[in-house]
């Protein structure tokens, strides 16, 4: 791997680490926040804080795609990492739930811009027939971050502010390293005539018209369902399992195991998708997730068996969502990939809002276990249906995009 690509891979992967770390840090902190009533927080206001954070992430994802397609990947990505880091450091200092919500919203805007740009940059740096694998490799960072947050949460105990200080400071350091080392990756480095030809052939508005309308709607719905699962589980799993009768420390271990399974799923799913086809693989991953989530609605007394099911669930639930991003790289034109990625991610963030909100409402109503797992399983099945409606990419799509010749990468079989 040449040094140029090595820095892209390393630093884009690192930015995604922060998203996983941030989400799990909040989920791990919620039980202690509720027990101590920090800032006057209760279950309803905790749901508000988790939800408004996801709103900010959605806003950031929608804004960043067109910006990075026009101005490049490097500066927008660094700005997003820095914004997230500063507001994360400030979060434990919030005096009440209103300020907590504002800080989480602002941190979310920065965080929301990181993933679409990082995944797009990784796809641009990858060989044309490895776009799904590049996406899943990038998103292993999310779950490495989640694992790190789980470990920090276990070690910190009730000292929850430590998690946010660590994440914020590491983010500032990462932004400084990116400023010094991250190269530009966008199509601005391609020949100007190629960029002009492709840009004029496909405009942003065309993604909401045939032949891309069907693709866009299907990917939006699949991303919505996938992020509903990711955010719902990572935000509320410790509280859900505590409600099922497991103690808090065991619930945090389950969160760790879930995300270890997710990393394993990323390493497997992307390679399978590139070799066997992105569409069929994504449908299978969503379907397996639905079955496993239904199984988790059953109380398990054996801790080893429970950990095993949680691990396998992590393999399928989280990778299904990331395979949707891999689909974007295969099926949209090169100069619209970041915009497509941004809007798929932004619409998916509505699911990221819905997941914690629905689960939180079930917690407030004392119906969270096992009802939340039924909701999660139904969402995964809807993900299967959404991907089934998306046309299958042509086998040669990635090669034609890499070569710079615009052709519709769609087949309707």
């Amino acid at each position: 791997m040449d040094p140029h690509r090595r820095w892209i891979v390393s630093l884009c992967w690192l930015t995604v680490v922060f998203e996983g770390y941030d989400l799990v840090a909040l989920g791990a902190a919620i039980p202690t926040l509720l027990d101590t009533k920090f800032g006057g927080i209760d279950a309803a206001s905790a749901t508000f804080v988790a939800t408004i954070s996801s709103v900010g992430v959605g806003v950031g994802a929608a804004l960043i795609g067109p910006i990075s397609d026009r101005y490049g990947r490097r500066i927008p990505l660094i700005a997003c990492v820095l914004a997230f880091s500063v507001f994360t450091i400030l979060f434990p200092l919030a005096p009440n739930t209103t300020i907590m919500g504002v800080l989480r919203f602002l941190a979310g805007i920065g965080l929301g811009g990181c993933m679409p740009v990082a995944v797009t940059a990784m796809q641009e740096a990858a060989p044309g027939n490895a776009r799904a694998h590049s996406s899943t490799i990038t998103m292993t960072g999310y779950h490495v971050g989640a694992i790190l947050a789980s470990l920090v949460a276990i070690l910190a105990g009730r000292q929850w502010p430590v998690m946010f200080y660590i994440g914020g400071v590491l983010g500032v350091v990462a932004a400084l390293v990116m400023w010094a080392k991250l190269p530009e990756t966008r199509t601005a480095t391609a020949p100007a005539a190629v960029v002009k030809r492709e840009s004029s052939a496909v405009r942003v508005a065309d993604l909401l018209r045939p032949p891309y309308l069907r693709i866009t709607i299907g990917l939006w719905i699949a991303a919505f369902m996938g992020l509903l699962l990711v955010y719902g589980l990572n935000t509320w799993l410790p509280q859900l399992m505590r409600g099922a009768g497991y103690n808090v420390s065991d619930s945090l271990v389950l969160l760790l195991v879930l995300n270890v399974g997710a990393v394993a799923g990323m390493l497997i799913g992307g390679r399978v998708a590139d070799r066997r086809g992105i569409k069929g693989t994504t449908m299978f991953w969503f379907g397996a997730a639905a079955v496993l989530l239904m199984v988790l609605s059953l109380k398990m007394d054996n801790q080893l068996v429970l950990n095993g099911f949680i691990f396998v669930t992590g393999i399928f639930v989280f990778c299904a969502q990331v395979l949707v991003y891999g689909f974007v790289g295969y099926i949209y034109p090169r100069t619209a990939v970041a915009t497509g990625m941004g809007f798929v991610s932004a619409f998916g963030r509505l699911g990221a809002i819905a997941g914690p909100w629905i689960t939180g409402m079930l917690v407030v109503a004392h119906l969270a276990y096992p009802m939340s797992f039924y909701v999660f399983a139904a969402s995964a099945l809807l993900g299967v249906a959404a991907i089934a409606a998306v046309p299958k990419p042509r086998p040669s799509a990635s090669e034609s995009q890499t070569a710079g010749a615009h052709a519709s990468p769609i087949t309707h079989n």
Side-chain angles (χ1 to χ4, degrees), residues 23-392:
L23 177 59
V24 173
L26 180 61
I30 282 176
T32 302
L33 288 170
L34 293 175
D35 288 344
T36 60
K37 300 189 182 299
F38 177 83
I41 199 168
D42 56 19
S45 55
T47 300
F48 162 75
V49 170
T51 301
I52 199 66
S53 176
S54 296
V55 172
V57 172
V59 171
L63 292 176
I64 200 64
I67 291 172
S68 65
D69 269 334
R70 183 169 183 178
Y71 297 107
R73 317 299 185 210
R74 182 175 180 273
I75 297 300
L77 186 57
I78 294 170
C80 288
V81 171
L82 191 59
F84 153 74
S85 304
V86 170
F87 292 115
T88 295
I89 291 171
L90 294 175
F91 177 71
L93 306 177
N96 54 57
T97 56
T98 300
I99 300 301
M100 290 169 69
V102 170
L103 292 173
R104 289 296 300 175
F105 175 77
L106 294 173
I109 290 177
L111 193 62
C114 291
M115 187 280 296
V117 180
V119 173
T120 301
M122 284 283 279
Q123 289 188 356
E124 289 172 344
N129 63 348
R131 294 177 186 269
H133 181 57
S134 71
S135 298
T136 55
I137 286 295
T138 307
M139 293 303 291
T140 60
Y142 173 96
H143 298 285
V144 169
I147 292 167
L148 290 174
S150 300
L151 291 171
V152 172
I154 292 169
L155 294 173
R158 299 178 72 82
Q159 301 301 314
W160 63 269
V162 172
M163 293 185 286
F164 294 90
Y165 294 141
I166 290 175
V169 170
L170 291 178
V172 171
V173 173
L176 294 174
V177 174
M178 292 167 68
W179 180 263
K181 296 294 185 179
L182 182 66
E184 185 55 85
T185 63
R186 71 178 293 265
T187 52
T189 59
V194 172
V195 175
K196 182 177 180 180
R197 180 172 67 249
E198 292 189 358
S199 297
S200 62
V202 179
R203 297 165 297 178
V204 174
D206 291 334
L207 300 182
L208 295 173
R209 299 174 184 149
Y212 297 105
L213 178 61
R214 178 177 160 191
I215 295 168
T216 299
I217 292 175
L219 293 179
W220 282 8
I221 294 173
F224 179 98
M225 298 304 164
L227 282 175
L228 185 154
L229 298 176
V230 170
Y231 274 70
L233 282 168
N234 263 340
T235 302
W236 285 105
L237 184 65
Q239 189 69 16
L240 291 179
M241 303 313 278
R242 186 168 75 166
Y246 304 100
N247 62 50
V248 174
S249 60
D250 286 342
S251 298
L252 291 173
V253 170
L254 291 175
L255 192 61
L256 173 62
V257 171
L258 181 75
N259 284 282
V260 171
V263 173
M266 301 293 179
L267 296 175
I268 298 167
R271 291 191 181 277
V272 172
D274 285 325
R275 293 176 182 175
R276 298 291 185 179
I278 186 70
K279 179 173 179 175
T281 304
T282 307
M283 290 176 63
F284 179 82
W285 247 249
F286 268 115
V291 172
L292 290 161
L293 288 163
M294 284 296 296
V295 171
L296 289 179
S297 68
L298 305 174
K299 182 69 183 294
M300 301 179 194
D301 295 326
N302 187 299
Q303 189 69 31
L304 183 61
V305 171
L306 177 61
N307 284 334
F309 271 102
I310 289 285
F311 176 81
V312 178
T313 300
I315 289 177
F316 288 100
V317 167
F318 295 98
C319 188
Q321 162 60 27
V322 178
L323 290 174
V324 176
Y325 298 142
F327 222 135
V328 172
Y330 272 113
I331 208 161
Y332 282 131
R334 183 177 66 179
T335 52
V337 168
T339 298
M341 191 80 71
F343 279 102
V344 166
S345 176
F347 194 86
R349 297 299 174 173
L350 297 177
I353 296 166
W357 182 80
I358 292 171
T359 311
M361 291 299 98
L362 292 172
V363 170
V364 172
H366 304 288
L367 297 172
Y369 188 92
M371 185 61 68
S372 293
F373 289 103
Y374 301 153
V375 172
F376 293 149
S379 300
L381 290 176
L382 289 172
V384 175
I387 293 297
V390 177
K392 184 178 180 181

